[in-house]
Amino acid sequence: MIQILSYTPFWRRPHQGLGLLLLLAFWPLGRLVAAPAEGGVQLGASRFLVDSFNQYTYRQVLALPDGAWTNTYTPLHQGSLWVRLPLENSSPQPQEAFLQLGEIPLMQLYLPRPQGVDSLLSGMFVPIDARSFAHHKPLFKLQLAGGEQLSALLRLDSQNRIGLPRQYSPLLKSGASLQRDQEIRLLTQGLFFGIILVMAFYNLLLFVAVRDVSYLWYVLSILGIGLYFFFYYGFSLQTIWRQQPLWNAYSFALIVPLTNLMRVMFTKTYLHTREQLPWLNRFLNGLALLCFVPMVLGLAAYWLGLPWYELTIDATGVLGTLVLLSMLLAGVLMYLRGYTPALFFIVANLLFVLGANMFIIKEMQLVADSLFTRYVVQLGVIAQVVLFSLGLAYRLKKARQQEAEHLLALARLEHEKEQERKELAEQQKAELEEKVHQRTAALQEKTEELQAAVLKLQESEEGLRQLNKIKDKLFSVVSHDLRGPVATLDSFISLITKHAAHISAEEMDKLSHKTRESVHNLSFLLDNLLNWSRAQMGTLTFKAQPVALAELVQKNVALYQLAAESKKLSLVPDVPKEALVMADRGMLDFIVRNLLSNAIKFTPAWGTIKLIVQEEGDSLQLQVSDTGLGISPAHLQRILDPDDTFSTPGTARERGTGLGLMLCQEFLALHGARLEVRSEPGAGSQFFFSLPRALPAPVSAAPDSSLQLG
């Protein structure tokens, strides 16, 4: 049994001495692991036939002489390579093995058997469903009977796109080994993709929260790394491009440069190179433009069928190396300038570079294959992602702290400005207040002079107003209360003048007596009115004395008897002779006379007017009631208003001034009494008031006008 190694990666080729740097760009070739052959199937020494123009068929190759075959070959960049591959099952039992030959565009394996030739198909550019064994790697499944020996023919076709490897390195694996590799692949890559997606989602949430574009570029770069390993481990071929293996093979030319572009943009925004290092920012801009070169090469090679596959790989590797070195350089420069978050940036990139170097050393067969060496580059990616995320979080914290300090400084500055504004405002206020005080003092002096003048004018005006008011009231009272006596006197004089010849001496004496009485009463009334006007002017003093109500009422009934008879009214006095009250005689006489005059005025013919005095505890109530028209509630409220001279015509169209009741209320107020009214429209009215009793004493019945003058 022989030991078979994977084919030599391109960086060990003499014309491509990029070594460690090129793998930093995620080199997509050279992934077969050295391992001993397994099981009973063995490979013999191979011989080669170069077919540069793809001119031979299987049968033509079989017919070629043995001298046409060689033990070595020159690497091809076009055409095909035929390989005579001896196979032997040294076990007496049937054996199954899997033949792996590396990333060859197209492979055909011919197994001659007694019943015919088995033709198997595989290769990078062959759809998975068209391969003899559906696997993400180009494999051939071999089944040999116990002790069976075969001389298989293998055709390796470059498809004029990818040069065939310099060293032919087949590898046989058992089914158990292949299954174990598949399980490890699914487990490790599942964990890796899960971590990548979680970190991408976490940073995407940060971007949504803070709207910092560096988070977005970082999320895109994380997704680019995950997408590359999705391609690297064959998941894209198994799931997305099952029927487009050619496009899948060239997709790295888009994935890796775009990921590098995202890394460049992340570096620019994370480290703020535009503001801090403009020259480095310009260099990174140029590097970002160079990221489109591998994309153009790859797309041209894919669409035009050009043999630029390896050139695209080399360009992608060199560019990836430049990007990583530039990121390290930018991080170091920014850290030296005092930008603390750059430390996370440096450490994260160093870990990724160390992981990539270990991966390269393993691929170069300098260390034994193990899970660590196989997946160390992805561990470096995870460490880089975690540290970058921590760096972004620290940067966010730092930015918020700086923002808080900035806001605090602005608040402090605003506070200082506010204090200055307040001090200036206080100073201006003090100056303004001083000016206002001076102006106010001058205005105050002028105002006081004007107020003194206005006060004098107001006093004069008030005096004139009171005089006019007294004058108006006096004229109203005179016109109101003199009308009755004058009318009576006029009636007597007319009767005597017109009927003197027909009047007897006795009747003449009686009329003369009544005429003298009317003149006397008129004189008495004028005297009382004069006294009232003096009281209004403050020259009359109220004087209460015992007054006999019977005499006072009888006198006023006699005064208005003729007026009542002329309207066919009955005057009915009901006053006890001993009724005495404490009152001002003249004012009380005026009140009774006014109430009696109003009752006659508003009582229709054949009505009755009563003057009644009733006891009410320590007081006597004097009531003047009639069977007249009555008073509505609205009119009742107005006639009792001391400031309203409301008046309506009587039943015989008698006129009045409306001042009688007002004067009655004023006089009663001086007695400490109040005029009250009960009335209903159509049911007559009752005017009444109460005065305190007086001690019994003889009282003269004659009118007394001896009011005290002030």
Side-chain angles (χ1 to χ4, degrees):
M1 184 179 297
I2 63 174
Q3 185 180 28
I4 304 172
L5 301 178
S6 63
Y7 75 93
T8 304
F10 74 94
W11 55 79
R12 297 187 63 187
R13 302 169 192 168
H15 66 286
Q16 295 173 335
L18 295 176
L20 298 179
L21 294 179
L22 294 182
L23 189 64
L24 297 178
F26 316 112
W27 211 261
L29 294 181
R31 295 186 288 273
L32 296 181
V33 180
E38 303 177 52
V41 179
Q42 298 180 11
L43 294 174
S46 300
R47 301 195 70 188
F48 308 97
L49 174 66
V50 176
D51 184 7
S52 300
F53 301 101
N54 291 324
Q55 58 184 347
Y56 296 123
T57 64
Y58 170 70
R59 295 192 178 279
Q60 289 175 338
V61 170
L62 286 178
L64 291 176
D66 189 64
W69 296 86
T70 61
N71 295 326
T72 61
Y73 71 94
T74 302
L76 300 177
H77 291 280
Q78 62 180 7
S80 302
L81 176 66
W82 289 87
V83 181
R84 181 181 290 172
L85 186 65
L87 297 173
E88 179 183 359
N89 181 8
S90 59
S91 172
Q93 302 296 328
Q95 294 291 326
E96 181 181 80
F98 294 88
L99 178 62
Q100 184 174 337
L101 297 165
E103 305 294 344
I104 308 299
L106 177 63
M107 299 184 294
Q108 290 176 294
L109 181 63
Y110 299 94
L111 301 175
R113 298 183 184 275
Q115 66 273 21
V117 178
D118 293 340
S119 178
L120 305 180
L121 181 65
S122 188
M124 284 177 58
F125 295 169
V126 178
I128 285 185
D129 297 334
R131 297 178 183 180
S132 299
F133 178 69
H135 194 270
H136 68 280
K137 290 184 177 181
L139 298 176
F140 289 111
K141 182 178 180 180
L142 305 178
Q143 292 178 325
L144 277 71
E148 183 179 6
Q149 294 182 355
L150 293 176
S151 179
L153 282 180
L154 177 64
R155 179 173 176 266
L156 306 179
D157 190 349
S158 67
Q159 296 284 292
N160 295 330
R161 288 178 177 269
I162 303 176
L164 297 179
R166 175 178 297 275
Q167 182 178 354
Y168 169 70
S169 302
L171 175 67
L172 284 176
K173 302 190 76 171
S174 67
S177 176
L178 191 66
Q179 179 64 27
R180 183 174 61 254
D181 291 346
Q182 177 70 1
E183 292 173 354
I184 294 174
R185 166 178 170 265
L186 293 177
L187 175 62
T188 56
Q189 300 312 309
L191 291 174
F192 175 75
F193 293 140
I195 294 173
I196 288 294
L197 290 176
V198 168
M199 298 309 296
F201 183 69
Y202 166 73
N203 285 278
L204 181 62
L205 291 180
L206 289 179
F207 166 71
V208 173
V210 301
R211 296 296 179 181
D212 187 341
V213 71
S214 62
Y215 290 89
L216 179 61
W217 292 123
Y218 184 57
V219 168
L220 294 176
S221 68
I222 292 176
L223 294 177
I225 293 173
L227 188 60
Y228 170 74
F229 282 103
F230 192 75
F231 154 80
Y232 182 88
Y233 283 99
F235 292 103
S236 61
L237 181 63
Q238 285 182 300
T239 57
I240 303 175
W241 311 117
R242 294 181 65 89
Q243 302 303 320
Q244 290 83 27
L246 181 62
W247 170 251
N248 179 75
Y250 280 91
S251 61
F252 80 93
L254 290 179
I255 297 173
V256 178
L258 286 176
T259 302
N260 287 330
L261 178 62
M262 299 304 109
R263 285 175 169 271
V264 171
M265 299 306 297
F266 169 63
T267 302
K268 285 163 51 70
T269 54
Y270 179 83
L271 298 178
H272 301 290
T273 57
R274 174 183 293 181
E275 298 82 8
Q276 302 297 330
L277 293 172
W279 66 268
L280 181 59
N281 187 73
R282 290 191 293 270
F283 172 77
L284 292 176
N285 288 337
L287 198 59
L289 292 176
L290 288 177
C291 290
F292 292 95
V293 173
M295 288 189 276
V296 173
L297 291 176
L299 291 175
Y302 172 76
W303 289 108
L304 302 178
L306 300 175
W308 290 355
Y309 188 81
E310 293 178 332
L311 177 62
T312 304
I313 292 175
D314 292 345
T316 303
V318 172
L319 183 63
T321 302
L322 288 176
V323 168
L324 289 176
L325 292 177
S326 300
M327 292 175 68
L328 280 174
L329 175 63
V332 171
L333 292 176
M334 288 301 299
Y335 182 73
L336 293 177
R337 293 176 65 90
Y339 187 59
T340 307
L343 181 61
F344 292 94
F345 193 84
I346 297 171
V347 175
N349 279 294
L350 282 175
L351 290 175
F352 177 70
V353 170
L354 292 176
N357 283 332
M358 185 61 70
F359 181 79
I360 293 171
I361 293 173
K362 185 267 299 183
E363 290 291 313
M364 296 173 65
Q365 307 295 323
L366 298 178
V367 295
D369 182 28
S370 65
L371 289 178
F372 176 74
T373 57
R374 189 179 305 169
Y375 300 110
V376 66
V377 64
Q378 289 179 283
L379 293 176
V381 169
I382 293 174
Q384 183 191 50
V385 168
V386 172
L387 285 175
F388 273 155
S389 298
L390 292 176
L392 287 170
Y394 179 81
R395 179 172 172 268
L396 176 61
K397 177 182 177 182
K398 194 73 174 178
R400 288 183 174 176
Q401 182 180 357
Q402 292 176 351
E403 182 181 3
E405 293 175 354
H406 178 65
L407 292 177
L408 183 61
L410 289 178
R412 188 182 301 110
L413 181 61
E414 184 63 26
H415 178 70
E416 293 175 355
K417 290 183 178 179
E418 183 66 22
Q419 287 296 114
E420 292 178 358
R421 286 195 293 267
K422 287 184 178 179
E423 293 175 358
L424 180 60
E426 289 294 332
Q427 181 181 357
Q428 293 176 345
K429 179 181 177 183
E431 294 176 355
L432 183 60
E433 287 178 349
E434 181 63 25
K435 291 181 180 179
V436 170
H437 178 71
Q438 295 175 357
R439 299 282 181 87
T440 302
L443 290 175
Q444 184 68 26
E445 184 178 353
K446 296 294 183 182
T447 302
E448 290 176 356
E449 295 176 359
L450 290 175
Q451 287 178 345
V454 169
L455 184 60
K456 291 180 181 179
L457 291 175
Q458 288 177 345
E459 291 175 354
S460 300
E461 182 183 6
E462 183 63 24
L464 292 174
R465 186 181 295 109
Q466 291 296 331
L467 289 176
N468 285 332
K469 185 176 181 181
I470 293 172
K471 179 194 68 174
D472 293 341
K473 285 187 177 182
L474 180 60
F475 287 160
S476 298
V477 170
V478 170
S479 63
H480 181 270
D481 288 307
L482 289 182
R483 187 179 296 115
V486 171
T488 302
L489 183 59
D490 181 65
S491 298
F492 288 161
I493 295 174
S494 296
L495 183 61
I496 294 172
T497 303
K498 294 179 181 180
H499 303 285
H502 304 286
I503 299 175
S504 62
E506 183 180 355
E507 290 176 342
M508 183 63 72
D509 289 339
K510 185 177 180 180
L511 288 174
S512 298
H513 176 73
K514 289 184 177 181
T515 301
R516 286 194 301 271
E517 185 177 358
S518 295
V519 172
H520 176 76
N521 289 335
L522 181 59
S523 175
F524 176 73
L525 177 59
L526 290 174
D527 187 52
N528 283 342
L529 289 174
L530 180 60
N531 289 332
W532 172 82
S533 65
R534 291 175 179 174
Q536 294 296 310
M537 297 175 64
T539 60
L540 181 64
T541 303
F542 169 77
K543 181 179 180 181
Q545 58 182 329
V547 178
L549 291 179
E551 295 181 7
L552 187 141
V553 169
Q554 188 61 43
K555 177 180 72 67
N556 282 285
V557 168
L559 179 63
Y560 283 96
Q561 186 64 46
L562 287 178
E565 290 176 356
S566 65
K567 292 188 67 174
K568 297 180 176 56
L569 301 176
S570 298
L571 299 180
V572 181
D574 183 9
V575 183
K577 291 184 179 181
E578 66 278 8
L580 293 175
V581 294
M582 291 297 295
D584 185 289
R585 183 184 301 275
M587 293 183 183
L588 183 58
D589 185 60
F590 175 84
I591 293 170
V592 173
R593 185 168 59 253
N594 187 75
L595 294 178
L596 182 58
S597 174
N598 283 344
I600 293 172
K601 178 180 177 182
F602 292 102
T603 302
W606 311 108
T608 301
I609 299 173
K610 295 180 180 181
L611 291 88
I612 303 172
V613 174
Q614 297 176 342
E615 293 185 1
E616 193 179 63
D618 294 336
S619 302
L620 294 178
Q621 184 187 81
L622 176 60
Q623 181 184 114
V624 179
S625 62
D626 60 61
T627 59
L629 301 176
I631 307 171
S632 67
H635 289 175
L636 184 61
Q637 185 176 2
R638 294 190 64 184
I639 64 176
L640 293 178
D641 187 353
D643 296 325
D644 192 350
T645 57
F646 175 73
S647 177
T648 58
T651 57
R653 310 306 297 172
E654 300 97 329
R655 294 183 175 275
T657 63
L659 294 175
L661 289 179
M662 181 188 69
L663 298 174
C664 289
Q665 292 184 82
E666 289 185 7
F667 288 166
L668 285 173
L670 294 175
H671 288 77
R674 185 167 62 91
L675 181 63
E676 299 183 68
V677 183
R678 286 194 294 267
S679 180
E680 293 183 8
S685 303
Q686 295 177 356
F687 287 81
F688 56 93
F689 57 90
S690 298
L691 294 174
R693 288 175 179 270
L695 295 176
V699 180
S700 175
D704 185 3
S705 61
S706 59
L707 295 176
Q708 296 295 323
L709 299 178

